Amino acid sequence: ELKVEQNPLFLSMQEGKNYTIYCNYSTTSDRLYWYRQDPGKSLESLFVLLSNGAVKQEGRLMASLDTKARLSTLHITAAVHDLSATYFCAVARGYNTDKLIFGTGTRLQVFP
Amino acid sequence: KAGVTQTPRYLIKTRGQQVTLSCSPISGHRSVSWYQQTPGQGLQFLFEYFSETQRNKGNFPGRFSGRQFSNSRSEMNVSTLELGDSALYLCASSHGTGNTGELFFGEGSRLTVL
């Protein structure tokens, strides 16, 4: 059974600092997703990582994938308050399926 | 380009009733999947449909059902509602083929069961 673990669950960080969210999964996967969710809102797609070594960056966020270690990271550079949200990673196994197994989420708070 | 549209956005039901939620995917997307989000269980996969066929199903009781129409719109139904069914129900759509797909989520339908 595919399981996805994220850590930390909660992250309070000061503006301007860097930090990394970790996503571990238990079996091989074919796609790894990162989503952002604001309170009371839906999931906003951030990144889709498809292959080992994949790295994607958007603004202050950078995601990477190591399929051998079954690990993805979401790195936050020089955090700003607008990044405060809950971040989820999710894993899909197999082609032609949208069945995602989600991690528990990391609630990020950025303070001045 | 319109996103994934879910209706209704909010609804309140009582135990024992049933509810139907609707999802219109992004134009051209043929796959629709449904997820339940609760504070206790997090985000859980319910089922997915592609070309009117259920392609996968999560570990939910038979009270949860769904279908997809020829225009790719999907509905999910929950019968004999229980308090624990209170949740945010999210619908997502994608092209549904291959291994490249981004999955786009709608705003969700927030169900409260009293």
Side-chain angles (χ1 to χ4, degrees):
Chain A
E1 182 188 350
L2 176 57
K3 293 185 179 180
V4 181
E5 293 183 352
Q6 274 182 251
N7 66 84
L9 296 182
F10 299 98
L11 179 55
S12 182
M13 56 189 299
Q14 196 172 17
E15 281 189 331
K17 299 293 186 182
N18 304 332
Y19 210 84
T20 301
I21 299 171
Y22 297 89
C23 174
N24 293 272
Y25 52 97
S26 59
T27 63
T28 57
S29 77
D30 296 289
R31 302 186 300 285
L32 190 136
Y33 298 77
W34 283 97
Y35 287 93
R36 167 183 171 147
Q37 187 176 41
D38 292 293
K41 302 292 186 180
S42 186
L43 298 171
E44 175 190 352
S45 178
L46 295 174
F47 304 107
V48 183
L49 304 171
L50 301 177
S51 59
N52 188 44
V55 177
K56 291 193 174 181
Q57 184 166 3
E58 181 73 34
R60 300 174 188 274
L61 301 178
M62 183 175 71
S64 65
L65 178 62
D66 181 343
T67 59
K68 294 179 182 177
R70 297 175 188 163
L71 171 69
S72 180
T73 60
L74 181 66
H75 187 72
I76 303 157
T77 302
V80 293
H81 179 71
D82 286 351
L83 289 179
S84 297
T86 299
Y87 293 84
F88 292 94
C89 66
V91 174
R93 288 189 70 194
Y95 291 79
N96 299 329
T97 177
D98 287 336
K99 178 180 178 179
L100 300 186
I101 306 300
F102 279 85
T104 50
T106 296
R107 184 175 175 186
L108 171 66
Q109 287 185 321
V110 181
F111 59 92
Chain B
K1 185 174 180 181
V4 179
T5 304
Q6 291 187 245
T7 57
R9 293 288 315 280
Y10 303 91
L11 64 167
I12 300 173
K13 295 285 187 178
T14 57
R15 281 179 295 175
Q17 288 186 311
Q18 73 168 17
V19 65
T20 299
L21 308 178
S22 179
C23 173
S24 294
I26 291 171
S27 177
H29 284 187
R30 295 165 62 191
S31 173
V32 173
S33 51
W34 290 88
Y35 292 81
Q36 181 197 63
Q37 186 176 27
T38 60
Q41 299 298 318
L43 280 153
Q44 294 184 287
F45 171 80
L46 280 158
F47 27 64
E48 70 169 312
Y49 290 87
F50 179 78
S51 293
E52 302 178 68
T53 300
Q54 188 178 83
R55 194 157 65 171
N56 263 304
K57 190 177 188 303
N59 295 324
F60 280 82
R63 300 186 297 106
F64 292 80
S65 62
R67 58 178 176 169
Q68 186 180 34
F69 302 96
S70 58
N71 61 358
S72 294
R73 190 177 70 85
S74 177
E75 288 181 348
M76 67 163 283
N77 183 275
V78 188
S79 62
T80 319
L81 284 166
E82 300 176 359
L83 296 178
D85 297 333
S86 295
L88 179 66
Y89 290 89
L90 292 166
C91 163
S93 79
S94 78
H95 289 290
T97 57
N99 195 38
T100 61
E102 279 198 72
L103 197 57
F104 298 94
F105 283 82
E107 292 294 319
S109 293
R110 186 168 294 279
L111 170 65
T112 301
V113 181
L114 302 177

